[in-house]
Each structure stands twice: as C-alpha cells, then as structure tokens.
C-alpha cells in the first residue's frame, strides 16, 4: 500500500511539475481543484475548478488535475463531513445527529433534473444540499490553504534539485 501511495504522489507531482508556469501559479491551480472537490456540485468540479483558476490567474490544467482529490473513495467522507458541518452551522450541534441517505438524495436530484420536475428537488434534495453548501465553506478554505502550501513547497524543492 505504501508503494501505491508513493507512486501516486510522485506521479501527481511530476505531472504538476511538467506544467508551464511558476510554482505559485501551479500550486494555486492545484489548490483550486482540491478546494472545488469539497463542494457538493458533482459533475461540475472540473468546470468550476477551471473557471476559478482562470479568475485568480492560476494554472488551469493544474486546477483540473487537482480535482482528482474528489473521487469515489473520498466523496463519502467529504459529503458526510460537509453535510454535518453545515447542519451544525445552520441549526446547532444537536441537529447534526440526523442521518442522511445520499443514494436516495442523488436519485431524487437526478430524477428532478431529467424530468424537469423541481417540486421533488425542493422537497427532497434542497434540505440536504443547503447544509452541504454552507458546510463546504470551511473545508474549501482549509483545503485550498493546505494544498497550496504542500504543492508549492514540493514544487520548490523539486525545481531546486
């Protein structure tokens, strides 16, 4: 397992290092992709990362690569974390204990989008999506700052060698 993590980390940093741009621009782009992975807007992460990276003049390709943080292994942890954080921020600590079935929520959201029947969306999806939008904010800020410094410091070390 350790070799798999090393290979992934090494390959990811080598891909970032091969991009054109300063270490700061590449790190800001990658951090933007990581940040967007904490939003509940599944299916739009790459587009959002590219738009935000372009707005802050960060490396757009690094932003797209940074979205790999959001994947089938990490999404369940991300969704639960941002949902319950949002519930706490909106309603207080006692509100966070109510469990949620994300599979049913995604099914309802997909059905609403495919049939353009947004009455189900408002009754089934919005009560979960709203806390996720609110709850993702602290995670997005922390993810951007942490990943920026990790990528920037690593790229600085790699380019110094």
């Amino acid at each position: 397992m350790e070799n798999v993590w090393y290979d992934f980390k090494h390959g990811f940093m080598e891909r970032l290092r091969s991009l054109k741009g300063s270490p700061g621009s590449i790190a800001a782009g990658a951090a933007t992709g990581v940040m967007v992975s904490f939003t509940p807007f599944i299916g739009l992460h790459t587009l959002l990362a590219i738009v935000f990276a372009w707005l802050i003049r960060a490396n757009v390709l690094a932003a797209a690569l940074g979205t790999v943080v959001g994947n089938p292994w990490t999404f369940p942890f991300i969704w639960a974390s941002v949902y319950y954080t949002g519930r706490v921020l909106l309603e207080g600590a006692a509100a966070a204990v109510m469990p949620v079935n994300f599979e049913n929520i995604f099914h309802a959201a997909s059905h609403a989008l495919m049939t353009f029947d947004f009455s189900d969306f408002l009754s089934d999806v919005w009560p979960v999506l709203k806390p996720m939008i609110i709850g993702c904010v602290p995670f997005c800020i922390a993810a951007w700052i942490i990943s920026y410094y990790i990528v920037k410091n690593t790229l600085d070390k790699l380019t110094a060698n």
Side-chain angles (χ1 to χ4, degrees):
M1 183 68 169
E2 186 175 319
N3 285 341
V4 172
W5 171 245
Y6 175 80
D7 291 343
F8 171 76
K9 183 175 71 169
H10 182 71
F12 184 73
M13 292 310 292
E14 284 301 318
R15 280 200 176 108
L16 289 177
R17 189 173 95 160
S18 70
L19 296 175
K20 292 190 179 358
S22 69
S25 172
I26 294 169
T32 301
V34 171
M35 175 195 74
V36 168
S37 294
F38 283 86
T39 68
F41 306 116
I42 306 304
L44 297 175
H45 285 163
T46 303
L47 177 64
L48 289 171
I50 289 169
V51 168
F52 289 149
W54 180 78
L55 287 173
I56 65 170
R57 298 177 193 253
N59 189 294
V60 173
L61 291 174
L65 284 172
T67 62
V68 301
V69 166
N71 60 63
W73 293 286
T74 60
F75 278 143
F77 300 106
I78 291 171
W79 294 334
S81 300
V82 300
Y83 172 72
Y84 290 115
T85 300
R87 294 281 315 257
V88 168
L89 291 173
L90 290 170
E91 303 168 28
V97 294
M98 186 179 100
V100 63
N101 185 334
F102 286 106
E103 183 179 351
N104 290 346
I105 297 302
F106 287 120
H107 183 269
S110 298
H111 178 72
L113 291 172
M114 293 174 128
T115 62
F116 294 103
D117 179 12
F118 292 101
S119 62
D120 286 342
F121 183 86
L122 291 174
S123 65
D124 296 336
V125 178
W126 184 246
V128 175
L129 187 60
K130 180 181 176 184
M132 290 181 79
I133 292 169
I134 301 298
C136 80
V137 172
F139 286 94
C140 288
I141 293 168
W144 196 96
I145 292 169
I146 292 167
S147 57
Y148 174 84
Y149 284 106
I150 289 172
V151 173
K152 173 99 169 49
N153 289 336
T154 304
L155 289 175
D156 285 343
K157 287 178 185 175
L158 288 173
T159 55
N161 291 335

